[in-house]
């Protein structure tokens, strides 16, 4: 299950996940009651297949496909799993994150590098970054609220919330 995928009770150290959010794949889906071969292009979203789907690894057959939903440098992230309802409503697709609230340019204009760093430090988050520009562009204030987005997907039944993660360190470069 999910606990094994995340390294048991010892934390996230056994494996990691890499979730594509701009990819095209040929998949089989039901359309108007008939199975069809489709080219699925997921842009700004990610695949989330339900339990017992033949295309997900055997380790996830009971839980559904795990999906990492990244928050920001200063907010939580989530692990979701795919649902059968999601297969019918969205061809097995869910969000991949919250999305930007401000453009990169607007973030650079409106946010102060040192203030962003201090806010992260106050939350106990260590940061290593290649450039001050990246800190402002990727600041928590630059993004929509990931919890709201995840709750919407969960409420719609297109994916299930499984685990909430808290950042302890950020490396940007």
């Amino acid at each position: 299950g999910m606990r094994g995928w995340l390294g048991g009770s010892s934390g996230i150290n056994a494996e990691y996940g890499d979730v594509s959010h701009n990819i095209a794949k040929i998949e089989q889906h039901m359309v108007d009651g008939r199975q069809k071969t489709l080219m699925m292009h997921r842009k700004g979203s990610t695949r989330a297949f339900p339990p017992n789907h033949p295309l997900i690894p055997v380790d996830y057959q009971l839980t559904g496909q795990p999906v990492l939903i990244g928050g920001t440098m200063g907010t939580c992230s989530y692990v979701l799993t795919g649902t059968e309802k999601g297969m019918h409503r969205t061809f097995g697709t869910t969000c991949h994150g919250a999305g930007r609230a401000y453009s990169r340019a607007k973030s650079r204009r409106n946010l102060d590098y040192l203030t962003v760093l201090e806010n992260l430090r106050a939350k106990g988050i260590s940061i290593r970054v290649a450039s001050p520009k990246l800190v402002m562009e990727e600041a928590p204030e630059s993004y929509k609220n990931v919890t709201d987005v995840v709750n919407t997907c969960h409420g719609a039944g297109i994916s299930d919330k499984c685990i909430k993660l808290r950042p302890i360190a950020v490396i940007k470069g």
Side-chain angles (χ1 to χ4, degrees):
M2 286 292 111
R3 185 167 298 287
W5 182 72
L6 290 172
S9 61
S10 63
I12 303 171
N13 57 16
E15 296 179 33
Y16 84 100
D18 185 8
V19 178
S20 298
H21 62 272
N22 189 6
I23 193 166
K25 286 188 171 198
I26 295 175
E27 298 173 358
Q28 301 288 318
H29 290 281
M30 296 299 289
V31 178
D32 296 328
R34 294 190 5 223
Q35 185 154 322
K36 297 205 174 211
T37 301
L38 305 173
M39 173 67 75
M40 292 298 303
H41 179 216
R42 292 181 177 92
K43 171 110 176 98
S45 59
T46 195
R47 191 167 86 171
F49 284 173
N52 304 311
H53 194 283
L55 291 182
I56 60 175
V58 68
D59 288 349
Y60 310 131
Q61 285 294 314
L62 295 178
T63 60
Q65 183 175 18
V67 180
L68 300 175
I69 307 299
T72 71
M73 296 189 297
T75 61
C76 59
S77 296
Y78 289 88
V79 178
L80 310 179
T81 54
T83 66
E84 195 60 46
K85 192 174 191 179
M87 283 302 291
H88 299 293
R89 287 188 164 186
T90 65
F91 298 106
T93 302
T94 195
C95 67
H96 88 281
R100 295 193 73 85
Y102 303 120
S103 70
R104 294 180 191 282
K106 184 173 183 178
S107 294
R108 285 192 307 268
R109 282 193 309 270
N110 294 337
L111 298 175
D112 176 67
Y113 166 73
L114 294 175
T115 302
V116 173
L117 288 180
E118 183 50 41
N119 289 342
L120 292 172
R121 276 192 209 103
K123 292 179 178 181
I125 300 169
S126 177
I127 184 165
R128 300 292 179 267
V129 67
S131 123
K133 177 177 94 166
L134 279 174
V135 172
M136 295 176 294
E137 289 176 359
E138 299 299 320
E141 299 85 351
S142 298
Y143 287 86
K144 296 173 191 166
N145 184 315
V146 69
T147 299
D148 290 346
V149 173
V150 166
N151 285 342
T152 298
C153 293
H154 181 83
I158 63 173
S159 50
D160 285 333
K161 280 192 298 189
C162 293
I163 301 170
K164 183 177 179 178
L165 306 167
R166 182 183 66 80
I168 57 172
V170 177
I171 300 170
K172 296 296 275 186

